Amino acid sequence: VMALAGTSNPNNPLAALIKQADSKSVSKDIKDSRARMAASGMGGANSLAIRLIRAMHDLIQEGTWEINRVGASPIWVTTEGLFGLTEEVIKGAVGVLREQGESSLPNDYRETLNLLADWGYLHTNIQANGQQFLTWEIRIYATDRGKPIEFNAHVIRFTKEELLPRAMIPPEPVRAVILGRDGAPISSGGIQ
């Protein structure tokens, strides 16, 4: 208690540990609070993350982005989940908001990814060695003009499907395989 109140000897190693733990606890509480507010809708209309997701949603709803279509959409509904081609998704959403006069957008797309992850919209890619990334590498197996094709993509993985308009019937998921950083498949493609 004395260490938390700041009245203990600053050279006491216990005081430093307690202050560090308290700081981490507060950071976690803030992050959890953001996630709860975003999930309940209370973080609402003023959240930049929510406006970014809404911009993506609108691009799909108006038909600018066609889901699971080679060359027409950065959004893919797959057997491994909902993915977006990283640069195209971020540039598209940021572009819509800039056209609407939004001035608080980050210039670096990595900051935008961090914002979306902080609000619980992206899955973190945790490697076996403990490294964490906000992007993934996947191989998509699709068809283009009736011919089967496969291609590797640098993507983000969405946690929630609210990106897709509710009135829309989701397309049949295409097969996708998650790749490791070395390019080797590390998943079964969602097929058991």
Side-chain angles (χ1 to χ4, degrees):
V1 171
M2 288 175 62
L4 280 173
T7 58
S8 69
N9 180 350
N11 295 329
N12 182 350
L14 185 59
L17 288 172
I18 289 174
K19 287 190 185 279
Q20 185 180 22
D22 183 51
S23 174
K24 285 185 178 183
S25 174
V26 168
S27 294
K28 183 183 180 312
D29 288 346
I30 290 170
K31 191 173 183 179
D32 289 350
S33 174
R34 283 184 185 169
R36 282 192 305 275
M37 287 175 63
S40 70
M42 293 173 59
N46 293 329
S47 163
L48 182 54
I50 291 171
R51 290 195 306 272
L52 284 162
I53 292 295
R54 185 70 193 176
M56 292 176 208
H57 172 277
D58 292 347
L59 285 166
I60 295 168
Q61 187 165 339
E62 68 192 23
T64 303
W65 289 351
E66 295 179 43
I67 296 174
N68 289 5
R69 185 138 177 243
V70 177
S73 178
I75 303 295
W76 289 85
V77 175
T78 76
T79 53
E80 289 286 350
L82 182 62
F83 291 93
L85 304 179
T86 307
E87 287 190 41
E88 291 89 340
V89 166
I90 298 303
K91 283 180 184 176
V94 166
V96 166
L97 292 181
R98 284 208 170 116
E99 286 175 10
Q100 295 172 354
E102 179 66 56
S103 60
S104 62
L105 294 163
N107 288 325
D108 184 2
Y109 84 93
R110 287 173 294 218
E111 291 178 39
T112 306
L113 293 180
N114 285 330
L115 177 71
L116 291 171
D118 285 349
W119 280 85
Y121 287 107
L122 299 181
H123 281 290
T124 303
N125 182 357
I126 302 172
Q127 302 292 299
N129 63 7
Q131 284 185 298
Q132 296 184 16
F133 301 94
L134 291 176
T135 59
W136 301 70
E137 300 297 325
I138 63 172
R139 181 169 299 130
I140 296 175
Y141 299 87
T143 57
D144 184 23
R145 289 171 259 174
K147 295 181 181 178
I149 63 164
E150 62 182 74
F151 60 95
N152 291 354
H154 185 71
V155 295
I156 52 178
R157 188 176 190 182
F158 294 99
T159 57
K160 301 172 183 164
E161 295 205 1
E162 58 201 34
L163 183 68
L164 303 176
R166 288 189 181 158
M168 177 185 142
I169 298 170
E172 184 72 27
V174 297
R175 183 170 176 256
V177 174
I178 296 174
L179 305 174
R181 289 290 172 188
D182 61 356
I186 58 172
S187 75
S188 63
I191 299 170
Q192 301 300 320

